[in-house]
Amino acid sequence: MSENRENRIAEPANVEAEQNYLAACLLDHEIVELYPVETGQFYLMKNQWMHAAIKNAAGGDAISVAAELERAGHAEAWGGVMGVVNLQCSVVSVAIGASCARLIREASAQREIIKTGSDIVQRAYAREDPELLVAEGIRSLEGTERVAGEVNRAADGAMSVLAKALRYQSEPLTNGDVRGI
C-alpha cells in the first residue's frame, strides 16, 4: 500500500527564495559573490541547473545564461531564453538576494541535519557502535554548521540529542526494558 502523502512531512525547502535569489543574480551578477550559495544547496534540480548556468555564463546576462543552459542540455526545463527573461523580471529588487541566500542555506542545512539523523537512526537499528555513531554525527553536523551558521541552535540541539542517546545506550538493560529514540 502506498504511503499517504497528506500525512508525509515535506523536506525543508524554500523554492520561492530560490527563484527570487536566482532572479536577483540575473539582474545583478555580483549577488553571486556577495551572497554565495552553493549549487547543491538548492532544493529543486532545475534551480541547481540555473545557478550553475549563472555562475558559468560569460557576463551573467539572461541571453548568456540561456546559452549556458542550452549547452548543458537544461534549457527546456526553464523554457529557453524567454523562461530565463521571465525569471529575471519576476524579482522586484536585487536587495532581496541576501535574505534569500540565508533562507536557501538554512533549508539546505536543515535537510542535511535530517539526513544525518536518519542515517544515524538506521545505523543504530543495525546495532553499530553508539560511540562511533555519535562521533560521526557530530562531525557531520559541525560541517553543516560551517556551511550554514544560521542553524547553529538546531545543530547544537541535534548534538545534544546524540549525546543523550549515547548515554542512554550505555545504560544496562534490565529485564523487560524496551528502548527507542
Side-chain angles (χ1 to χ4, degrees):
M1 180 184 255
S2 67
E3 183 180 335
N4 184 347
R5 290 178 183 255
E6 292 157 8
N7 292 332
R8 198 168 137 203
I9 298 173
E11 287 185 313
N14 193 326
V15 175
E16 186 175 298
E18 290 183 11
Q19 292 193 342
N20 280 317
Y21 176 81
L22 294 169
C25 291
L26 285 167
L27 282 176
D28 183 352
H29 198 264
E30 287 184 13
I31 297 294
V32 175
E33 300 300 321
L34 289 172
Y35 311 109
V37 175
E38 294 179 27
T39 299
Q41 291 179 314
F42 287 85
Y43 183 69
L44 293 181
M45 185 58 69
K46 78 178 216 169
N47 290 347
Q48 291 180 19
W49 296 334
M50 175 63 76
H51 186 253
I54 290 169
K55 289 176 71 172
N56 296 333
D61 60 282
I63 303 301
S64 299
V65 170
E68 184 63 28
L69 282 169
E70 182 69 36
R71 188 199 61 72
H74 303 303
E76 191 175 306
W78 279 97
V81 174
M82 286 309 299
V84 176
V85 170
N86 286 336
L87 175 64
Q88 182 177 19
C89 294
S90 70
V91 71
V92 176
S93 168
V94 296
I96 199 168
S99 61
C100 289
R102 180 185 53 78
L103 292 170
I104 293 165
R105 288 190 304 267
E106 238 177 48
S108 175
Q110 290 166 340
R111 289 191 302 273
E112 188 60 33
I113 289 168
I114 291 168
K115 179 184 175 300
T116 298
S118 296
D119 290 347
I120 290 170
V121 167
Q122 291 301 316
R123 291 172 62 194
Y125 276 119
R127 305 276 187 217
E128 289 190 32
D129 177 32
E131 289 182 28
L132 176 67
L133 291 176
V134 171
E136 288 179 8
I138 288 171
R139 270 195 307 276
S140 178
L141 292 174
E142 285 171 346
T144 300
E145 185 177 308
R146 281 190 299 276
V147 171
E150 294 91 356
V151 294
N152 287 345
R153 287 187 313 240
D156 288 344
M159 285 187 230
S160 173
V161 168
L162 290 172
K164 286 179 186 174
L166 176 61
R167 284 193 304 274
Y168 183 70
Q169 281 295 99
S170 64
E171 294 173 2
L173 284 174
T174 58
N175 204 9
D177 274 352
V178 176
R179 298 239 170 107
I181 298 176

